[in-house]
Amino acid sequence: MSFNINDKGFYGAFGGAYIPEMLYPNVEELCQNYLKIMSDPSFKKEFDQLLKDYVGRPSPLYFAKRLSEKYNTKIYLKREDLNHTGAHKINNTIGQILMAQRLGKTRIIAETGAGQHGVATATVCALMGLECIVYMGEIDIARQAPNVARMKMLGAEVRPALSGSRTLKDATNEAIRDWINNPLNTHYIIGSVVGPHPYPDMVARFQAVVSEEIKWQLQEKEGREKPDYVIACVGGGSNAAGAFYHYLDDTDVKLIAVEAAGKGIHSGESAATSILGKEGIIHGSKTLLMQTQDGQITEPYSISAGLDYPGVGPMHAHLYKTGRAEFISITDDQAMTAGLELSQLEGIIPAIETSHALAILNDKKFNNNDVLVINLSGRGDKDLQNYIDYFKL
Amino acid sequence: MNRIQTKLKENKKLLSIYFSAGYPSINDTVSIIENLEQNGVDMIEIGLPFSDPLADGPTIQASSTQALKNGMTTKVLFDQIKDIRKTVTIPLIIMGYFNPILQYGVEAFCKKCRQTGIDGLIIPDLPVDVYNDQYKAVFEKYGLINVFLITPQTSVDRINFIDSISNGFIYMVSSASVTGGNSGFGAEQTDYFKRIAKMNLKNPQIVGFGISDNKTFTQATEHTNGAIIGSAFIKHLSNNGVKNINQFVSTILR
């Protein structure tokens, strides 16, 4: 059994391209070309070079000694937080901007929730001198002012999404509508492993550099390529897809996906999609999503803006349904505590998204000789105000 | 023969009107349908509201959101129109996004459509190939016509494929745009309408998106069999409620 995508664009029952006909030519163009372009030596060379010189890869695989002592197990942190712009998001935007150039596109659109993917997109557009429009929910614009300012400083136009609940899912709808209205010159840089095929696969492949590096880095440090566990947080799921990618079909390696339980799974304010979601269609993909009985998509909640997406990438829906990955949900409180703990034990302030992954150390028992790799997907600078408010710092 | 097919055989330019069920008020659905028929509309698309209507512009989004707030659901809609065939004879189509239909159950939905007297469906985010592989049989079992969209960017091969699996009409999206986007047609649209007309497809073509008045209706139907109006009618409903539908229709047909 393979846990990767099949040639029809599905992970098991999940994925596909449930898109209006207006988007078909764009998506088909990408479908026909993405693998060809990605395997072209000149593309690979440019991608690798930018990841090295501009993003700062490889990101370290750091043995967290004090954290390991506390939990009596061996914990490695994959330091995606040290990437340029502060998270794993840039791996994908570098890849997609090179893709857009090769497809002859001159105008870039993106959606963003907290602003991390928007900043990563605005960054690569500045780097390549391409026009950049970022859709962001009106409510998110108000609560993420520093990232809005960063995008503007980088030369992007930030357009408010005024429809629906005026958050990430609506920003995604607006970006898709923009793409319908501008089918010829525009490339849509989706920020996670969501959306119609081939996006989930393309984004996973750009993020796969994370597990590619883990393999050789762990070999150097532990004399083995395979950890016992790979652990990552999941909103849409791009950092988890990258950390899992090269271990997907290697069932010796246990995969743990950590979702946001918000104020409690059944509190009505949660983003635990695997547990609360049902099979359906969101943003062109068949996957698990939070919805009413009538099939209307509902608004999730998490203290972490990067995890409050009502769906999950089709790869993860498949990993959940098949039991290949274990899905654990972590509440706001558990995550915040874990974020503070990492700060004080290791001197690393993590993004609140990442804090969810760290919180499972308190939730699940590991053996003292287990080797864990936790994907430290982003740094906490952007979340400082949240930490300040929560801990009354 | 399905009512859509019968209607398409009439020698006239068809006017089809779209509205969101449950808008402006939850119980307006039946009265809007009856009014439209009485005023000479040829076909109606009943919009099943969805929280995330990707292909729609601000007007239809807003009416959809309001309809949901008013309490519209798939079940409520079917309850409202259960006796519609006692008063209405023109073809009725449900236009909705795929997820609510999937949650209702595709076969259960089709069966209910058949019982109610719905003649066809337009599901913009149900792709042609998925329909063909998985759902064609069940649509046909219940005598429903599924209508597919083409756009100015759709390739000739794909148009021919869509024509081959269609058995009602082809919904021609007038330009690269979400609904309610453009006002007025230029040479580009006229060329596109002519180009498709020359293909001699087996299915008639009806144009949608960007038609709002007599002028655009006339332009859109010069080379096609009819046109669909959505956003402009919803604006009329927003301003007038269900009153004066006759005035709206007469400004289009003049």
Side-chain angles (χ1 to χ4, degrees):
Chain A
M1 180 173 197
S2 171
F3 295 95
N4 217 320
I5 199 157
N6 68 23
D7 56 4
K8 292 201 148 87
F10 280 84
Y11 299 86
F14 302 106
Y18 293 80
I19 47 167
E21 189 62 31
M22 294 81 102
L23 282 179
Y24 181 83
N26 302 26
V27 170
E28 185 62 12
E29 179 185 32
L30 205 51
C31 243
Q32 294 300 327
N33 290 294
Y34 82 109
L35 291 176
K36 211 166 35 189
I37 290 173
M38 284 179 78
S39 62
D40 177 44
S42 78
F43 180 92
K44 282 170 111 153
K45 190 174 166 214
E46 198 176 355
F47 182 55
D48 291 346
Q49 194 74 45
L50 283 169
L51 288 184
K52 178 168 178 279
D53 297 336
Y54 188 70
V55 176
R57 302 202 72 91
S59 67
L61 185 70
Y62 164 71
F63 176 65
K65 185 161 171 290
R66 295 187 67 209
L67 196 67
S68 297
E69 279 167 6
K70 170 150 189 206
Y71 290 100
N72 195 28
T73 189
K74 282 182 122 167
I75 303 167
Y76 285 90
L77 302 176
K78 180 59 174 163
R79 298 292 307 276
E80 293 298 297
D81 61 316
L82 295 176
N83 292 341
H84 180 43
T85 71
H88 69 289
K89 291 287 186 193
I90 190 104
N91 303 327
N92 170 45
T93 58
I94 293 272
Q96 285 205 48
I97 200 85
L98 297 177
M99 180 72 62
Q101 284 182 321
R102 278 159 179 77
L103 292 170
K105 307 295 179 180
T106 54
R107 179 175 176 273
I108 299 296
I109 55 171
E111 84 296 339
T112 197
Q116 290 305 105
H117 172 60
V119 168
T121 303
T123 299
V124 297
C125 287
L127 180 68
M128 299 299 175
L130 292 181
E131 183 186 0
C132 180
I133 291 144
V134 179
Y135 288 90
M136 188 170 185
E138 192 183 32
I139 289 178
D140 289 334
I141 287 179
R143 63 186 179 188
Q144 306 288 344
N147 271 344
V148 175
R150 289 168 83 191
M151 286 184 269
K152 287 182 178 165
M153 194 161 169
L154 291 160
E157 181 192 341
V158 181
R159 285 192 192 161
L162 305 171
S163 61
S165 51
R166 292 171 291 146
T167 59
L168 175 59
K169 87 175 167 73
D170 310 286
T172 308
N173 293 342
E174 289 304 331
I176 291 173
R177 289 179 187 123
D178 181 306
W179 211 20
I180 289 174
N181 288 331
N182 298 281
L184 298 177
N185 66 346
T186 299
H187 176 72
Y188 176 19
I189 301 189
I190 295 185
S192 192
V193 286
V194 302
H197 177 67
Y199 277 104
D201 185 46
M202 180 171 69
V203 176
R205 284 169 188 266
F206 287 138
Q207 292 293 356
V209 64
V210 175
S211 48
E212 193 183 307
E213 289 174 4
I214 293 172
K215 282 179 108 166
W216 64 258
Q217 289 172 319
L218 201 64
Q219 180 69 41
E220 275 182 13
K221 290 178 198 299
E222 289 284 328
R224 54 192 267 198
E225 285 190 338
K226 302 178 195 178
D228 295 293
Y229 293 90
V230 180
I231 299 159
C233 63
V234 172
S238 67
N239 94 77
F244 294 169
Y245 195 85
H246 289 284
Y247 298 114
L248 280 175
D249 291 334
D250 196 338
T251 47
D252 296 346
V253 180
K254 299 180 195 75
L255 308 176
I256 301 180
V258 186
E259 292 183 316
K263 294 180 179 169
I265 290 172
H266 299 292
S267 65
E269 292 184 79
S270 170
T273 308
S274 64
I275 296 170
L276 299 172
K278 266 185 63 193
E279 198 174 313
I281 313 281
I282 181 169
H283 298 138
S285 181
K286 185 181 259 191
T287 187
L288 296 170
L289 62 131
M290 293 168 59
Q291 52 184 315
T292 66
Q293 207 160 9
D294 199 42
Q296 309 298 338
I297 298 171
T298 54
E299 188 61 14
Y301 163 82
S302 163
I303 193 167
S304 145
L307 301 183
D308 63 355
Y309 182 67
V312 65
M315 173 200 281
H316 297 298
H318 184 52
L319 295 177
Y320 175 74
K321 279 287 175 183
T322 54
R324 172 66 187 96
E326 180 181 2
F327 279 67
I328 294 177
S329 343
I330 292 295
T331 64
D332 289 355
D333 291 338
Q334 290 173 295
M336 296 305 271
T337 306
L340 186 64
E341 181 179 85
L342 186 76
S343 306
Q344 299 185 350
L345 282 179
E346 298 289 349
I348 300 169
I349 300 175
I352 299 176
E353 290 81 4
T354 314
S355 297
H356 284 73
L358 295 160
I360 78 152
L361 295 168
N362 265 313
D363 199 73
K364 187 179 166 73
K365 186 84 189 98
F366 296 96
N367 292 326
N368 61 359
N369 57 353
D370 281 342
V371 172
L372 281 56
V373 174
I374 300 178
N375 198 21
L376 204 77
S377 54
R379 70 176 84 125
D381 307 30
K382 71 179 175 66
D383 294 318
L384 209 52
Q385 194 57 50
N386 267 328
Y387 282 126
I388 290 168
D389 294 344
Y390 187 87
F391 292 112
K392 316 264 183 287
L393 299 171
Chain B
M1 194 181 278
N2 183 297
R3 285 182 202 92
I4 296 172
Q5 293 163 332
T6 311
K7 176 59 80 175
L8 288 162
K9 293 211 180 314
E10 289 178 17
N11 185 26
K12 66 178 289 205
K13 303 293 183 186
L14 304 182
L15 171 63
S16 181
I17 296 275
Y18 168 96
F19 73 102
S20 302
Y23 179 85
S25 300
I26 181 81
N27 289 319
D28 289 339
T29 314
V30 171
S31 117
I32 291 172
I33 295 171
E34 289 175 351
N35 258 290
L36 288 170
E37 174 169 50
Q38 284 154 20
N39 288 292
V41 168
D42 298 294
M43 191 156 63
I44 296 172
E45 291 169 32
I46 306 167
L48 181 64
F50 182 48
S51 54
D52 295 77
L54 289 180
D56 286 303
T59 304
I60 292 180
Q61 283 171 44
S63 67
S64 199
T65 303
Q66 186 59 46
L68 292 172
K69 278 190 192 147
N70 292 346
M72 184 49 71
T73 65
T74 311
K75 190 178 174 304
V76 168
L77 175 61
F78 280 129
D79 286 347
Q80 288 179 345
I81 59 174
K82 68 179 186 322
D83 294 323
I84 198 75
R85 284 302 173 199
K86 289 183 181 162
T87 52
V88 172
T89 60
I90 58 173
L92 297 175
I93 293 173
I94 289 183
M95 181 164 186
Y97 290 81
F98 193 38
N99 197 50
I101 297 170
L102 202 57
Q103 301 314 316
Y104 194 89
V106 175
E107 173 140 20
F109 190 90
C110 290
K111 192 175 173 185
K112 198 79 186 169
C113 284
R114 172 77 182 189
Q115 286 168 356
T116 311
I118 296 295
D119 306 291
L121 294 170
I122 302 174
I123 308 169
D125 60 342
L126 174 60
V128 182
D129 47 340
V130 175
Y131 167 78
N132 204 31
D133 293 347
Q134 297 178 35
Y135 300 112
K136 190 164 185 270
V138 71
F139 276 54
E140 285 174 355
K141 178 177 168 189
Y142 294 101
L144 294 169
I145 284 176
N146 194 30
V147 177
F148 296 104
L149 278 57
I150 64 168
T151 79
Q153 275 75 42
T154 309
S155 69
V156 169
D157 284 353
R158 194 166 167 85
I159 293 172
N160 283 321
F161 173 60
I162 286 171
D163 189 42
S164 75
I165 64 163
S166 297
N167 58 350
F169 63 91
I170 288 175
Y171 189 137
M172 280 177 70
V173 175
S174 63
S175 58
S177 161
V178 295
T179 55
N182 294 317
S183 55
F185 295 131
E188 206 179 320
Q189 274 84 31
T190 310
D191 289 349
Y192 161 59
F193 300 152
K194 280 190 200 162
R195 172 165 64 84
I196 303 301
K198 276 196 196 136
M199 288 180 74
N200 286 317
L201 301 174
K202 77 175 165 84
N203 292 277
Q205 299 101 52
I206 296 187
V207 182
F209 292 42
I211 297 134
S212 58
D213 52 20
N214 176 265
K215 187 175 173 219
T216 43
F217 179 79
T218 308
Q219 285 176 321
T221 53
E222 191 183 344
H223 303 281
T224 68
N225 300 71
I228 302 162
I229 298 181
S231 298
F233 180 63
I234 286 171
K235 280 182 193 153
H236 175 85
L237 290 175
S238 306
N239 296 331
N240 302 277
V242 296
K243 291 193 303 258
N244 306 330
I245 286 179
N246 58 332
Q247 282 173 20
F248 179 82
V249 177
S250 63
T251 61
I252 305 297
L253 295 177
R254 268 219 274 260

